[in-house]
Amino acid sequence: MTSAPSGSPLLSQLNETQAQAADHFTGPALVIAGAGSGKTRTLIYRIAHLTQHYGVHPGEILAVTFTNKAAAEMRERASHLVPGANELWMSTFHSAGVRILRAYGEHIGLRRGFVIYDDDDQSDLLKEIMGSIPGIGPDTTPRTLRGILDRAKSNLLTPDDLARSGDPYISGLPREVAAEMYRRYEARKRGQNAIDFGDLITETVRLFREVPGVLDKVQNRARFIHVDEYQDTNKAQYELTRLLASRDRNLLVVGDPDQSIYKFRGADIQNILDFQKDYPDAKVYMLEHNYRSSASVLKIANKLIENNTERLDKTLKPVKAEGAPVAFHRATDHRAEGDFVAGWITRLHGEGRPLTEMAVLYRTNAQSRVIEESLRRGGIAAKIVGGVGFYDRREIRDILAYARLAINPADDVALRRIIGRPRRGIGDTALEKLMGWAREHRTTLLEACARAVEDNIIDRGAQKPVEFAALMGAMSEAAENYEPAPFFRFVIETSGYLDLLRQEGQEGQVRMENLDELVNAAEEWSRENEGGVHDFLDDAALLSSVDDMRTKKENRDVPEEAVTLMTLHNAKGLEFPVVFIVGTEEGLLPSRGALTEGPGAIEEERRLFYVGITRAMERLFLTAAENRMQFGKTNAAEDSRFLEEIGGEFDTIDAYGQNVEYRAKSWKTYRPTVPAAGAGYSSPVKNTSPLTADMAYRGGEKVSHPKFGEGQVLAVSGLGERQEVTVHFPSAGTKKLLVKFANLSKA
Ligand SMILES: Nc1ncnc2c1ncn2[C@@H]1O[C@H](COP(=O)(O)OP(=O)(O)OP(=O)(O)O)[C@@H](O)[C@H]1O
Ligand SMILES: [Mg+2]
């Protein structure tokens, strides 16, 4: 490795390996390292260094991150380091997809004005079609079907691929039925000139594959590509990245396999482990120092993650001193747990700790309510990231549906949502007739409304749909000519929605205020962005997804000075001086679902806990409840097995903050039904569980192979006869070998 250019003021703010990675100029590179080791920092400095030292134009640089929040943060940090930073392309995979499809989607048959369907729109559409698909019974939910679609798209599978897939059943449906559902869903969606979230990636991939000229153009805008959190990419995102990087090959990815937490959404940890296979000339940089957390926090993190069997062993040494010990508290119930957290926040705040420096993390959104209540009682402001967001509220969704239909007259889903809000005297029978006519004449529902009188589509009250169509015509015109904020004002008034809310009393009042907020949000948006109603809708659709940026709109009443509440998933990549992780119990962390799924799922939960722990910079509190209300019933809870794994490394404190002795509440009594043969639960007691006893090799171990020589085990998978190891041999590269035949020996 070359050493970093000395004297660079930028690189002097990095350690030696970080500086080498930041100085990486052309070709592929991988930064693989543990939490808080400065991966994101290195990525940003690399971008700055590219522009300042190597003269790369900011307009040729792309950086992809996982959430809008991370992208915004990156943009903010880059703005201080890179002249011309506003020309950098920094976005999530999804918003990159929107941008590319808006510009070039016509090449693959997307008509101008296409809209983006979110989860709820998807469900609406599925509800419409599922009744008519043979093989789908009444107990199948749209949610299940969405899951099937989501996974298929994450894996770049078409309906035909699904029909041919290896499993006879997909989420309980015969694969032919699942494939047929997928096929019909796609056809209907296309007919309505809409795309869904998965399409933002898969359609972009298709565009790049089918129209090389477009790929080439986009590549000019992305000569240097960066991906943060690469361990959580799925197949579709992987392929998108691969295609983008295929010409110039300037691809730098950073990630940490121990923080892969989106397997349930199709993320494939193999993408990062195989990077060197895909790019044999890749430079690899390993960072070994954690700059974020106190030594006592880091110790717990390291100790916990060592319990995962399928992992690449990495070193992570603290830079910071020991600091305050990590504290654990077991409360009598979930309310007492909330009060404990509120009590500590009050105390720390009283000692001068700003509320913005504290975060409460939980496994499921449902846990937030009790915590919120405790904080409210304690007079502590809190902002919640995620949960039921602003853009998920009924009245907001209604008005956005008007806007969508105004822009895209083919959006039947939007039309059906709003035609009865407010009531316009168009009943179900009339609607059925209109739909039938539209289907027959292969046109849109809105067209059917417009022709209701002329073509005698319904018997009585045919004037009503015609009026509705005229109203939508006026809105379409407004959408063309108005800025988003005045447009929404126009829609809210002319639609009759305001009158509807006036009749709803107190609740209507709250909803009206929310609509006010929508107008404010649109105004704010226009101050920060260029574009019209359409662009605003794109952004709103992206915000209401997986993401967390909606926080800002959702917490308008919350003062800036507030504690952050969010799920462990949403906390990825962030850091806070003080962190509380609540609900460290069996059935929550690890989750109930993971308990029945087996060892792979438990390992993912362990990684999630690892992510949570490593957010803490100075102080970490872990809490559990002895009794917890879930699904309306209060049950005795057991401590998380993960607590036993890190046992002895934390102080147990009582409600008054006094040290007490930790007495483990054994989780062993809580074991669910035994999973299928071959699987087992990793146990806190080393080498007694079927899994660990069975493992011939562990990540990080040195081995030797008769042909390839000495190497290091990167990952181990499978059990017994089918156990495979991924080994990196300095002389032969990375190989995946079946242990049974590999003739490996321990070096
Ligand atoms: N060389 C350094 N000198 C000073 N501070 C550093 C250095 N490297 C990293 N840091 C700080 O350590 C913290 C963690 O860095 P960063 O967020 O980049 O880590 P990361 O590896 O991306 O973490 P994660 O895996 O959680 O995403 C940040 O506050 C960062 O500014
Ligand atoms: Mg990071």
Side-chain angles (χ1 to χ4, degrees):
M1 276 184 208
T2 54
S3 73
S6 53
S8 154
L10 260 180
L11 300 192
S12 68
Q13 295 172 53
L14 301 174
N15 72 31
E16 199 182 329
T17 324
Q18 289 173 336
Q20 283 167 356
D23 189 37
H24 178 89
F25 184 27
T26 54
L30 166 68
V31 179
I32 192 163
S37 57
K39 296 182 295 298
T40 303
R41 181 180 169 109
T42 302
L43 192 157
I44 293 168
Y45 276 75
R46 195 258 180 159
I47 290 173
H49 190 62
L50 275 180
T51 61
Q52 294 186 15
H53 183 79
Y54 290 109
V56 175
H57 191 270
E60 297 176 332
I61 297 175
L62 168 67
V64 184
T65 62
F66 220 73
T67 61
N68 283 317
K69 183 167 179 142
E73 228 160 70
M74 201 177 262
R75 223 172 282 131
E76 152 73 17
R77 284 162 82 175
S79 70
H80 301 293
L81 298 171
V82 185
N86 55 348
E87 287 182 69
L88 295 169
W89 185 6
M90 293 183 151
S91 85
T92 62
F93 275 108
H94 286 107
S95 40
V98 178
R99 180 160 156 184
I100 294 164
L101 293 175
R102 283 264 172 252
Y104 305 106
E106 274 158 298
H107 292 272
I108 49 165
L110 283 172
R111 280 170 285 145
R112 267 203 62 195
F114 67 83
V115 292
I116 303 165
Y117 278 179
D118 65 16
D119 291 0
D120 280 351
D121 302 320
Q122 249 189 328
S123 289
D124 287 349
L125 186 59
L126 286 165
K127 274 182 223 150
E128 254 184 76
I129 59 171
M130 56 198 277
S132 63
I133 300 169
I136 296 190
D139 47 343
T140 305
T141 62
R143 195 194 166 96
T144 307
L145 302 184
R146 273 201 343 249
I148 296 174
L149 294 171
D150 200 43
R151 270 190 305 280
K153 291 182 184 204
S154 299
N155 287 305
L156 283 178
L157 300 176
T158 62
D160 288 346
D161 294 333
L162 211 59
R164 283 192 300 260
S165 68
D167 300 324
Y169 286 91
I170 300 167
S171 298
L173 291 182
R175 66 176 172 217
E176 292 78 15
V177 175
E180 183 58 20
M181 179 275 297
Y182 187 4
R183 213 170 278 128
R184 290 196 197 187
Y185 166 83
E186 288 297 308
R188 279 303 296 277
K189 180 167 55 70
R190 204 168 316 124
Q192 304 192 1
N193 201 21
I195 63 174
D196 63 26
F197 264 89
D199 293 339
L200 291 176
I201 315 294
T202 56
E203 290 292 282
T204 307
V205 166
R206 186 161 75 88
L207 173 68
F208 284 170
R209 283 180 180 164
E210 290 177 12
V211 196
V214 166
L215 175 59
D216 200 56
K217 277 200 192 121
V218 180
Q219 282 169 334
N220 290 339
R221 193 65 190 74
R223 290 215 150 92
F224 289 83
I225 302 167
H226 307 75
V227 184
D228 200 357
E229 311 273 7
Y230 191 70
Q231 77 278 357
D232 271 326
T233 48
N234 61 31
K235 173 112 185 257
Q237 293 162 334
Y238 165 85
E239 183 61 11
L240 184 64
T241 309
R242 194 189 66 76
L243 285 164
L244 270 177
S246 60
R247 190 187 74 189
D248 298 313
R249 300 187 81 253
N250 299 321
L251 172 65
L252 181 138
V253 306
V254 317
D256 175 7
D258 285 336
Q259 293 185 69
S260 161
I261 53 174
Y262 280 100
K263 193 168 173 196
F264 71 99
R265 246 196 226 131
D268 188 353
I269 203 166
Q270 214 58 40
N271 290 342
I272 193 164
L273 296 176
D274 285 348
F275 192 81
Q276 285 171 274
K277 221 195 271 169
D278 299 333
Y279 304 93
D281 55 332
K283 284 257 171 58
V284 181
Y285 303 93
M286 293 195 172
L287 311 178
E288 305 195 324
H289 295 276
N290 175 299
Y291 286 85
R292 178 183 293 147
S293 305
S294 68
S296 51
V297 167
L298 192 61
K299 194 174 199 174
I300 281 196
N302 283 334
K303 198 165 172 193
L304 174 77
I305 203 66
E306 269 170 24
N307 289 276
N308 270 6
T309 48
E310 301 195 11
R311 69 181 289 262
L312 169 71
D313 212 5
K314 297 191 261 60
T315 318
L316 197 54
K317 285 174 279 199
V319 169
K320 289 191 179 171
E322 193 75 15
V326 174
F328 167 74
H329 174 69
R330 190 189 299 118
T332 47
D333 62 15
H334 49 284
R335 292 174 61 97
E337 181 186 47
D339 290 345
F340 172 85
V341 170
W344 268 98
I345 291 176
T346 306
R347 176 167 161 186
L348 295 172
H349 188 49
E351 288 168 9
R353 173 77 67 188
L355 294 180
T356 46
E357 293 189 358
M358 300 190 259
V360 185
L361 311 181
Y362 34 81
R363 178 67 181 85
T364 64
N365 272 313
Q367 287 167 263
S368 72
R369 188 183 53 85
V370 177
I371 306 285
E372 266 175 81
E373 280 169 14
S374 291
L375 294 178
R376 199 174 308 130
R377 276 196 301 276
I380 303 159
K383 57 169 174 255
I384 302 160
V385 177
V388 175
F390 181 73
Y391 288 100
D392 296 330
R393 295 190 179 140
R394 193 181 78 200
E395 60 281 7
I396 303 294
R397 296 183 57 81
D398 285 347
I399 296 305
L400 292 180
Y402 274 103
R404 273 173 24 204
L405 185 59
I407 280 172
N408 175 21
D411 194 340
D412 292 357
V413 168
L415 188 149
R416 286 163 50 114
R417 180 174 181 99
I418 55 172
I419 195 156
R421 292 188 202 169
R423 298 207 175 283
R424 295 170 214 283
I426 305 169
D428 287 349
T429 337
L431 193 58
E432 287 293 330
K433 289 217 166 116
L434 291 164
M435 276 160 52
W437 191 89
R439 218 173 298 131
E440 206 177 301
H441 292 77
R442 300 183 167 275
T443 184
T444 66
L445 203 44
L446 190 60
E447 178 70 15
C449 289
R451 307 276 291 264
V453 170
E454 214 175 309
D455 285 52
N456 248 327
I457 303 174
I458 45 183
D459 312 331
R460 253 180 304 135
Q463 194 52 40
K464 303 269 161 62
V466 176
E467 279 163 16
F468 175 73
L471 172 70
M472 287 317 302
M475 285 190 192
S476 289
E477 209 166 291
E480 287 286 322
N481 298 314
Y482 290 0
E483 296 256 304
F487 168 74
F488 284 120
R489 251 182 245 122
F490 178 80
V491 171
I492 292 164
E493 276 164 32
T494 55
S495 61
Y497 210 89
L498 213 51
D499 290 331
L500 175 79
L501 294 184
R502 285 207 182 98
Q503 292 156 18
E504 279 185 12
Q506 189 66 39
E507 195 184 328
Q509 183 60 36
V510 175
R511 294 189 187 281
M512 238 185 280
E513 281 163 18
N514 287 335
L515 291 183
D516 257 355
E517 277 312 312
L518 177 65
V519 175
N520 292 346
E523 230 149 52
E524 231 170 63
W525 183 90
S526 289
R527 250 177 268 139
E528 289 160 17
N529 301 276
E530 276 175 32
V533 175
H534 206 153
D535 303 282
F536 177 84
L537 286 185
D538 279 353
D539 278 6
L542 288 173
L543 294 189
S544 63
S545 72
V546 216
D547 217 86
D548 39 9
M549 238 252 301
R550 52 189 165 167
T551 327
K552 192 170 156 203
K553 308 286 185 283
E554 205 170 287
N555 294 292
R556 280 172 177 281
D557 312 334
V558 177
E560 278 298 296
E561 169 67 15
V563 175
T564 304
L565 265 56
M566 65 183 143
T567 62
L568 290 160
H569 279 100
N570 271 335
K572 195 166 71 153
L574 306 180
E575 59 188 20
F576 297 91
V578 180
V579 170
F580 296 83
I581 301 177
V582 299
T584 50
E585 295 151 30
E586 291 290 294
L588 270 179
L589 189 66
S591 72
R592 189 175 285 262
L595 291 178
T596 48
E597 266 174 60
I602 298 286
E603 298 218 343
E604 175 130 329
E605 296 288 309
R606 198 179 277 110
R607 289 193 292 270
L608 190 54
F609 192 24
Y610 175 78
V611 166
I613 292 171
T614 53
R615 299 309 96 198
M617 299 164 82
E618 295 168 37
R619 301 210 61 168
L620 174 64
F621 295 85
L622 309 173
T623 63
E626 282 176 33
N627 300 288
R628 178 172 301 273
M629 179 136 99
Q630 256 189 315
F631 313 113
K633 274 199 337 214
T634 302
N635 290 316
E638 304 278 357
D639 286 0
S640 169
R641 68 189 66 193
F642 302 148
L643 289 175
E644 289 198 29
E645 294 172 2
I646 56 176
E649 302 295 346
F650 52 76
D651 283 0
T652 303
I653 59 176
D654 65 16
Y656 309 98
Q658 301 300 314
N659 278 27
V660 292
E661 196 191 336
Y662 176 73
R663 264 174 292 122
K665 293 195 76 182
S666 170
W667 51 269
K668 291 176 192 75
T669 53
Y670 190 82
R671 275 196 196 196
T673 44
V674 179
Y681 290 99
S682 59
S683 157
V685 189
K686 277 260 157 59
N687 293 327
T688 53
S689 91
L691 187 64
T692 40
D694 199 46
M695 279 292 169
Y697 295 96
R698 287 183 71 89
E701 202 167 14
K702 296 260 188 318
V703 293
S704 130
H705 184 273
K707 187 153 139 236
F708 307 134
E710 295 217 335
Q712 193 192 9
V713 177
L714 297 183
V716 186
S717 61
L719 289 169
E721 295 275 284
R722 281 168 304 167
Q723 188 172 74
E724 287 184 328
V725 283
T726 308
V727 184
H728 179 72
F729 297 99
S731 59
T734 306
K735 308 268 176 211
K736 196 162 187 176
L737 307 164
L738 208 53
V739 172
K740 193 175 165 209
F741 300 116
N743 260 328
L744 285 177
S745 55
K746 303 203 182 205

